[in-house]
């Protein structure tokens, strides 16, 4: 399961950040997850519970913010960003031009931690 190894590296990064912040315990981890990241949210949550065992993150909650795909349409009449719902064919919802400029959707990053300090 690919999400389990992602969960382990996520927990490792969060543990290091928490340690640097002098945290005794981590309560919540806020994650930004793009639709194109290829990560299944439910599988990641499951992997997270396993990966946090025995770490300062044990028992903490993983809060996932799902980010839609945003493309940029470069056609003269648009020249703006659009959030699109489908994952097939990155076309402008307004003028139907294909776009290869993906501005958002690949994120897999920790936004912030909610920690307890002594
Ligand atoms: Zn357009």
């Amino acid at each position: 399961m690919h999400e389990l190894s992602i969960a382990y590296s996520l927990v490792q990064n969060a543990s290091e950040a928490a340690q640097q912040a002098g945290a005794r315990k981590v309560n919540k981890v806020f994650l930004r997850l793009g639709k194109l990241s290829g990560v299944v949210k439910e599988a990641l949550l499951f992997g997270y519970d396993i990966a946090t065992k025995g770490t300062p993150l044990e028992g903490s909650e993983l809060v996932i913010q799902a980010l839609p795909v945003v493309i940029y349409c470069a056609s003269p009449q648009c020249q703006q960003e659009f959030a699109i719902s489908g994952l097939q064919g990155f076309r402008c919802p307004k003028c139907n031009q294909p776009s290869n400029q993906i501005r958002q959707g690949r994120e897999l990053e920790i936004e912030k931690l909610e920690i307890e300090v002594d």
Side-chain angles (χ1 to χ4, degrees):
M1 189 169 93
H2 150 82
E3 277 79 5
L4 187 56
S5 62
I6 291 171
Y8 273 109
S9 67
L10 184 70
V11 167
Q12 194 183 352
N13 290 344
S15 298
E16 284 167 14
Q19 209 166 23
Q20 278 168 18
R24 184 164 50 85
K25 191 177 176 307
V26 176
N27 290 330
K28 285 181 185 174
V29 175
F30 294 85
L31 184 75
R32 289 158 55 83
L33 186 67
K35 269 198 169 179
L36 296 176
S37 63
V39 173
V40 179
K41 185 181 163 183
E42 288 70 27
L44 184 61
L45 288 169
F46 179 76
Y48 185 80
D49 281 346
I50 297 167
T52 51
K53 289 250 159 30
T55 76
L57 281 79
E58 186 167 352
S60 68
E61 185 188 351
L62 180 63
V63 182
I64 296 177
Q65 187 195 358
L67 301 173
V69 180
V70 174
I71 58 163
Y72 177 77
C73 179
S75 73
Q77 70 269 39
C78 294
Q79 299 200 344
Q80 67 181 101
E81 292 181 350
F82 293 98
I84 55 172
S85 49
L87 293 184
Q88 64 280 49
F90 299 112
R91 287 179 177 275
C92 173
K94 201 169 163 190
C95 71
N96 208 32
Q97 281 280 327
S99 170
N100 57 6
Q101 298 190 52
I102 297 165
R103 293 283 167 89
Q104 179 183 280
R106 295 197 177 100
E107 292 79 4
L108 176 61
E109 57 195 30
I110 297 170
E111 190 183 13
K112 59 179 176 175
L113 304 175
E114 195 179 288
I115 56 173
E116 275 178 28
V117 287
D118 285 321

